[in-house]
Amino acid sequence: MNIDVELIEKVVKKVLNDVETGSCESEYGYGIFDTMDEAIEASAKAQKEYMNHSMADRQRYVEGIREVVCTKENLEYMSKLAVEESGMGAYEYKVIKNRLAAVKSPGVEDLTTEALSGDDGLTLVEYCPFGVIGAIAPTTNPTETVICNSIAMLAGGNTVVFSPHPRSKGVSIWLIKKLNAKLEELGAPRNLIVTVKEPSIENTNIMMNHPKVRMLVATGGPGIVKAVMSTGKKAIGAGAGNPPVVVDETADIEKAAKDIVNGCSFDNNLPCIAEKEVIAVDQIADYLIFNMKNNGAYEVKDPEIIEKMVDLVTKDRKKPAVNFVGKSAQYILDKVGIKVGPEVKCIIMEAPKDHPFVQIELMMPILPIVRVPNVDEAIDFAVEVEHGNRHTAMMHSKNVDKLTKMAKEIETTIFVKNGPSYAGIGVGGMGYTTFTIAGPTGEGLTSAKSFCRKRRCVLQDGLHIR
Ligand code: NAD
């Protein structure tokens, strides 16, 4: 019998190494763990190892994430699964959003170093990792959030423990496994991105309170943002919005109408930045509505049908009914007995200021239009109906003074002028993208540096070369 000593030696060496590092190949779950404690411990171990990888390595891993997401087969699969599993949004838009998150989320180039040099030497201020980050993702952008947060957090030298929404756990787990497989292929430590098999509120609470989780990032509604901010840890809150769009008499009305319909119907109005109510100056309101109808809006005028719709798509006129969030205009209209084709992108109606459709962050393509006598009243009401979220607002106007006035008064993280809301996250507008827009805690559109600590490194006397 021929014994291949070399092969046996290789196998023994690998087994011993696996035992030593606790990473048996057959048991590697590509970042998916039974318990939150196990996930966090693995993440902490991975982060220590990750600290020895170079900046060039980090960027290679970022490119790896981009590649996994942009592979046609993966992109199509995750976009389809996200819609099927959550019951929200539309496939074509998910494809755009996932690709956008992969391509336009900045990598290590975001970590710019400050340097001070002079007679006393050289001081550097660098963006350094926090360590293990706990990131909570919404059901409205499940994969988009995993993609942009993974890129930014890993670029910053961190590892990340995700707490996906239970309603989108399948697609989140699928994506996390794919990303870890690619990262391993590129030589990264295992478990840079982890989660649990059964995401739940209980598991999120374990994560929020675990001592090895150094930073918390909540992308979701007010409840979870408040929860992370109450932990005593460094927390980033990316919370709810109710973005108003103001149109005044100086605007290019045809363009405004088209932009508003396109922005509001993007992924069936799921994005937190999407137009949620229009405030139009009386002088141009009719012409705006006429043009919106020419661009795919369906106007409902019958008060009875509007009332029926309120009963159907809201919970006690206070919150959106979850089973209608992210549904298409065609679907919603069908439920109130109106048959239209898929060319109808959103439903519009005139509404008073206190109407539930105006006041609630609906996250479905129903767009109320509030008529006001002049632009100053439009701006005042936009500020009011944004409810102090300071998230996103739009304005269509050629009047620089009024554009400036609204920008100052509404204080939103994103203010888009003369464009659709998505121009604010880098689609047809300048700038990078993210699906974690941190208004409440002030980081704004998050990127790698948002997830880093600033550390000062001082050398006395030396390396000053002037
Ligand atoms: P959600 O608040 O219901 O859930 C968000 C996440 O938090 C989920 O993973 C959920 O499981 C978890 N969660 C919620 N309450 C919790 C609690 N008490 N304890 C532990 N975990 C909890 O939001 P959603 O419906 O998934 O997403 C829509 C909301 O998110 C909207 O309000 C939208 O504006 C907001 N959002 C904001 C941004 C942003 O960047 N600012 C981006 C996307 C979504």
Side-chain angles (χ1 to χ4, degrees), residues 248-253 396-403 418:
D248 79 6
E249 68 284 4
T250 68
D252 176 342
I253 303 299
H396 293 267
S397 171
K398 294 276 168 65
N399 184 333
V400 174
D401 291 344
K402 299 299 177 190
L403 286 166
N418 300 326

Side-chain angles (χ1 to χ4, degrees), residues 284-354:
I284 50 82
D286 290 333
Y287 191 51
L288 180 71
I289 292 171
F290 169 80
N291 278 285
M292 287 173 84
K293 283 156 78 173
N294 279 345
N295 281 283
Y298 182 94
E299 188 182 14
V300 180
K301 283 190 166 167
D302 184 340
E304 264 180 44
I305 294 188
I306 295 174
E307 201 47 33
K308 204 168 156 189
M309 224 182 259
V310 174
D311 287 343
L312 199 66
V313 307
T314 70
K315 232 176 130 186
D316 304 328
R317 308 174 82 86
K318 290 198 171 68
K319 281 164 127 182
V322 175
N323 51 333
F324 279 89
V325 170
K327 289 287 192 276
S328 69
Q330 190 183 13
Y331 177 93
I332 299 168
L333 284 170
D334 184 62
K335 298 289 175 238
V336 290
I338 298 171
K339 303 273 178 231
V340 297
E343 70 285 354
V344 169
K345 297 203 272 186
C346 72
I347 306 162
I348 56 171
M349 72 276 301
E350 289 203 46
K353 289 179 179 173
D354 60 354

Side-chain angles (χ1 to χ4, degrees), residues 136-139 141 165-166 201 219-221 224 238-240 272 361 391 435 437:
I136 298 140
T139 187
N141 301 328
H165 195 289
I201 288 194
T219 313
I224 190 64
C272 49
E361 185 198 24
H391 195 300
F435 286 84
I437 298 152

Side-chain angles (χ1 to χ4, degrees), residues 48-60:
K48 280 217 165 69
E49 250 183 84
Y50 193 32
M51 287 300 291
N52 297 322
H53 288 236
S54 66
M55 296 298 283
D57 285 340
R58 288 193 204 174
Q59 189 59 22
R60 280 194 307 113

